[in-house]
Amino acid sequence: MQRLHEELDKLARFSSSEYPSVTRVLYTQNDLEARQYFISLCEDLNLKVRIDPIGNTYARWEGAEPKLAAIGTGSHIDAIPLSGQYDGTVGVFGALEAIRYLKSINFKPKRSIELVLFTAEEPTRFAIGCLGSRMMSGQLKLEQALKLKDKEGNFLNDVRIEAGFKGDLNEVELSKDYYHAFIELHIEQGPRLEKEGLDIGIVSKIAAPSTLRVNLIGEGGHAGAVLMPIRKDAGIAGAEIMIAVERIAKKSNSDDTVGTTGIFDILPRAVNSIPKEAYLEIDLRDTNIETRDKALSDLKQEIAEICEKRNIKYSIEILNCDPPAICDSQLVNTIEKVTNSLGYSSKIMASHAYHDSLFMAQLFPTTMIFIPSKDGVSHRPDEYSSPEQIEKGVKTLALTLKEIDG
Amino acid sequence: MQRLHEELDKLARFSSSEYPSVTRVLYTQNDLEARQYFISLCEDLNLKVRIDPIGNTYARWEGAEPKLAAIGTGSHIDAIPLSGQYDGTVGVFGALEAIRYLKSINFKPKRSIELVLFTAEEPTRFAIGCLGSRMMSGQLKLEQALKLKDKEGNFLNDVRIEAGFKGDLNEVELSKDYYHAFIELHIEQGPRLEKEGLDIGIVSKIAAPSTLRVNLIGEGGHAGAVLMPIRKDAGIAGAEIMIAVERIAKKSNSDDTVGTTGIFDILPRAVNSIPKEAYLEIDLRDTNIETRDKALSDLKQEIAEICEKRNIKYSIEILNCDPPAICDSQLVNTIEKVTNSLGYSSKIMASHAYHDSLFMAQLFPTTMIFIPSKDGVSHRPDEYSSPEQIEKGVKTLALTLKEIDG
């Protein structure tokens, strides 16, 4: 599989940050060039490429009975700022390698096998994750999608057309009978497989994410002249909210609850000026929807209390609040059988991270194949899975596709 | 004094943010044009203009005995992002109006009267306040000044030359006998004069500011996949430090202690990524140096404790840590006499804000004249002092200059 590793390394160079860090934001030049590279490899394999109006890219290996629902696999290649080279990409280029492998053993599929490159799994540009799969599954309606703007105020619909993706956005949505099954290969992005020395994780459920935007408005003023008792510092209120996010996630009854404030901006952002405004983006998730929703409502209440105490005006916008996905138990069993036959160790586990499969699972029997992440790290330049680990993931995926077809 | 108000209004248009907010950053086009406007008004008054190598601009009304040490007055015209139109500017254009007034009553000074426009009182561009007056007073040595870089990595020395300020930076420093006395007219930037219904504040001491830069390095990772117990979130450590700054300032024995975190940046700044790094700029000050230094050492200890508890690497850089200034008691008495003669109410008070006078006071007998600030606000677009309040400040300054000369 030397070729796959060379392809992943080449892909990592389509980046607006310095190698080995990767920054590949939706519809930027690097994103478009990386897509073109992917398409050229698909064409080398004689896959039939179709691109939908939002840029989701389908590469089809036609089966002997093309009228049957296809078997889907795939992931994403966009990357948040200063991240690594395996998140998403292993599920796209690894699936290509799985198809190569199946062709090399002369397998002829009955159902078509279709590889999907999803548009913008990461929320970097439009503050909403899984843009492509959300629209494919009908979870993001057209009227909402048309309202999406990036930080510069550009509408999604304008930038996708500028990037060369044309056509009626209504055509992005898939029908429930489009895929017979969907399997995503992905790095774990956590430490559990590595810690237990396992080769493969088989995903039984995917955490339910929710994202909040919080705007705080207090009163600015001169950092020297406005004495402490009369201040309405929006920055400190934001700091208290950050700490509340952590406390709520930690005190939840579930070990799986995670809460993160990944964005916190203050204005006017001058050392001698009291923060007048603050802006936070908060990510809260759990594999259990009740626990997640309890954490969300606790957080909303704490935000209200902090802002009341500090005389800060606030607004909360829920950017998304998706249900968790339960994976298809038959597919989970199939993968377990495949790993046993290959002599790979495996465990059935939850995915804490959020994937396009979350949305595929709304329509199709779905599951995911995880491979270990070194030190459990992801979204960082030192994100790493070894060639051997990736190879085991690719073989598991290949034989699972074959098994499902058979 | 209609003319002064028109000048202040015109000056507010030299801004990179929308009127009535003012943003005028050192050596930007707006700063340079505003300086040119000031110089043209000085020349209209036949003042002799001299510009030093860092851009401090001196406008001299030659006295009958030009060999005597001059009497200095002045302030700054740079403005932090999204601030107001009176901070600093009243002490520059108001001093010009004071000279006009003295000329109108046919006063002929014995000593020269010199109006100074100081370069960069605000720390916006080079993260150090009072750049011009610090260099004039020898408190910022040339070798330190040459190390200063802005956020884009440009050296101070390069940008000042690009902006047209040439010559040997060693020549910026003034000798101790350069001024006989120095008086700065300024808005209070706090609520005390307005609350007590007073016309004029006479400044007896100026708070001792200190500025800290704190860098935090934790561990990033995926916001979904890295569970709470193993995180090293640099953002949350930063939030705890912000709250510590507030707590320390509030619990100090002095009502005058203020602590502000005006800058807080986190990296990589993505909603689904754990903050790996955080950067804070903190302002801590008091009129009493012991109380300020105690707060500073408490804060350093709290930062160490927070970072140890959270496994965060950190560094603290003290950007400045200036001694407070005690103003000249004779000058304070002179101003009190002047306000009495004009029938203005006044009080002797401390300045919590930080001014070029802090550095002038290292060399010369110095004090400041304060006028009320509406609702005590400053560094905001709604910063306001009425034409009547400004007029009283200008008259007090004019007659004080006359009194000192006589």
Side-chain angles (χ1 to χ4, degrees), chain B residues 18-194:
Chain B
E18 205 177 336
Y19 183 89
S21 87
V22 182
T23 303
R24 198 181 299 122
V25 178
L26 178 63
Y27 301 146
T28 58
Q29 197 56 34
N30 286 306
D31 180 38
L32 299 178
E33 287 175 7
R35 286 164 182 262
Q36 210 44 58
Y37 174 52
F38 168 70
I39 290 168
S40 71
L41 296 178
C42 291
E43 288 171 345
D44 290 349
L45 268 180
N46 293 316
L47 306 181
K48 218 166 83 191
V49 174
R50 167 173 84 84
I51 302 171
D52 81 5
I54 200 73
N56 291 310
T57 302
Y58 298 80
R60 193 175 184 97
W61 180 13
E62 193 105 297
E65 299 182 32
K67 291 200 171 156
L68 289 179
I71 302 166
T73 183
S75 193
H76 66 97
I77 61 164
D78 64 321
I80 68 163
L82 307 177
S83 61
Q85 63 173 283
Y86 301 96
D87 175 10
T89 59
V90 162
V92 177
F93 286 70
L96 206 60
E97 185 68 22
I99 291 172
R100 264 189 219 119
Y101 173 77
L102 290 173
K103 288 194 167 198
S104 77
I105 60 171
N106 269 319
F107 173 65
K108 309 275 184 212
K110 195 176 65 181
R111 294 178 183 274
S112 298
I113 290 175
E114 199 170 72
L115 199 175
V116 192
L117 180 156
F118 292 100
T119 277
E121 194 258 358
E122 303 291 2
T124 317
R125 183 150 187 185
F126 289 98
I128 184 166
C130 298
L131 186 60
S133 54
R134 236 179 243 279
M135 292 184 73
M136 284 159 79
S137 66
Q139 299 290 306
L140 178 71
K141 292 298 173 193
L142 185 56
E143 58 174 83
Q144 299 166 281
L146 290 177
K147 286 182 192 155
L148 291 175
K149 278 196 267 191
D150 66 12
K151 223 188 146 189
E152 281 71 42
N154 303 305
F155 283 100
L156 168 62
N157 193 45
D158 294 335
V159 291
R160 65 115 190 169
I161 290 171
E162 253 176 70
F165 300 106
K166 293 181 185 148
D168 181 355
L169 286 175
N170 279 303
E171 288 170 9
V172 174
E173 195 170 335
L174 300 180
S175 65
K176 272 201 167 258
D177 55 3
Y178 187 83
Y179 285 130
H180 175 66
F182 189 86
I183 316 280
E184 181 173 4
L185 172 64
H186 207 281
I187 59 170
E188 181 195 349
Q189 307 184 278
R192 290 166 295 166
L193 291 175
E194 182 183 67

Side-chain angles (χ1 to χ4, degrees), chain B residues 149-260:
Chain B
K149 278 196 267 191
D150 66 12
K151 223 188 146 189
E152 281 71 42
N154 303 305
F155 283 100
L156 168 62
N157 193 45
D158 294 335
V159 291
R160 65 115 190 169
I161 290 171
E162 253 176 70
F165 300 106
K166 293 181 185 148
D168 181 355
L169 286 175
N170 279 303
E171 288 170 9
V172 174
E173 195 170 335
L174 300 180
S175 65
K176 272 201 167 258
D177 55 3
Y178 187 83
Y179 285 130
H180 175 66
F182 189 86
I183 316 280
E184 181 173 4
L185 172 64
H186 207 281
I187 59 170
E188 181 195 349
Q189 307 184 278
R192 290 166 295 166
L193 291 175
E194 182 183 67
K195 264 195 191 147
E196 298 179 40
L198 300 172
D199 299 318
I200 296 291
I202 308 167
V203 174
S204 57
K205 52 187 178 174
I206 304 174
S210 65
T211 314
L212 288 79
R213 258 184 191 157
V214 181
N215 266 298
L216 304 174
I217 300 182
E219 262 179 33
H222 190 288
V226 183
L227 297 185
M228 300 308 286
I230 59 167
R231 291 192 176 192
K232 296 178 189 171
D233 184 325
I236 305 261
E240 285 194 341
I241 291 169
M242 280 183 88
I243 289 168
V245 168
E246 182 191 51
R247 186 176 52 246
I248 287 166
K250 279 186 168 173
K251 83 173 182 201
S252 127
N253 296 322
S254 154
D255 292 343
D256 285 347
T257 316
V258 284
T260 309

Side-chain angles (χ1 to χ4, degrees), chain B residues 212-316:
Chain B
L212 288 79
R213 258 184 191 157
V214 181
N215 266 298
L216 304 174
I217 300 182
E219 262 179 33
H222 190 288
V226 183
L227 297 185
M228 300 308 286
I230 59 167
R231 291 192 176 192
K232 296 178 189 171
D233 184 325
I236 305 261
E240 285 194 341
I241 291 169
M242 280 183 88
I243 289 168
V245 168
E246 182 191 51
R247 186 176 52 246
I248 287 166
K250 279 186 168 173
K251 83 173 182 201
S252 127
N253 296 322
S254 154
D255 292 343
D256 285 347
T257 316
V258 284
T260 309
T261 307
I263 294 181
F264 181 26
D265 299 334
I266 56 183
L267 275 178
R269 199 190 168 284
V271 63
N272 58 353
S273 200
I274 299 163
K276 181 179 175 248
E277 291 181 33
Y279 172 80
L280 298 89
E281 285 189 16
I282 298 164
D283 178 303
L284 209 57
R285 49 182 113 181
D286 199 294
T287 51
N288 179 295
I289 193 162
E290 283 79 27
T291 321
R292 199 276 317 270
D293 286 350
K294 171 75 167 59
L296 188 56
S297 88
D298 286 355
L299 178 59
K300 284 194 213 164
Q301 194 179 330
E302 284 227 35
I303 292 172
E305 286 167 10
I306 289 165
C307 291
E308 192 184 359
K309 181 185 72 185
R310 291 188 168 272
N311 251 305
I312 301 288
K313 287 184 210 141
Y314 72 99
S315 64
I316 300 174

Side-chain angles (χ1 to χ4, degrees), chain A residues 25-44:
Chain A
V25 178
L26 178 64
Y27 301 146
T28 58
Q29 196 56 34
N30 286 306
D31 180 38
L32 299 177
E33 286 174 8
R35 287 164 180 263
Q36 210 43 59
Y37 174 53
F38 168 69
I39 290 168
S40 71
L41 296 178
C42 292
E43 288 171 344
D44 291 347

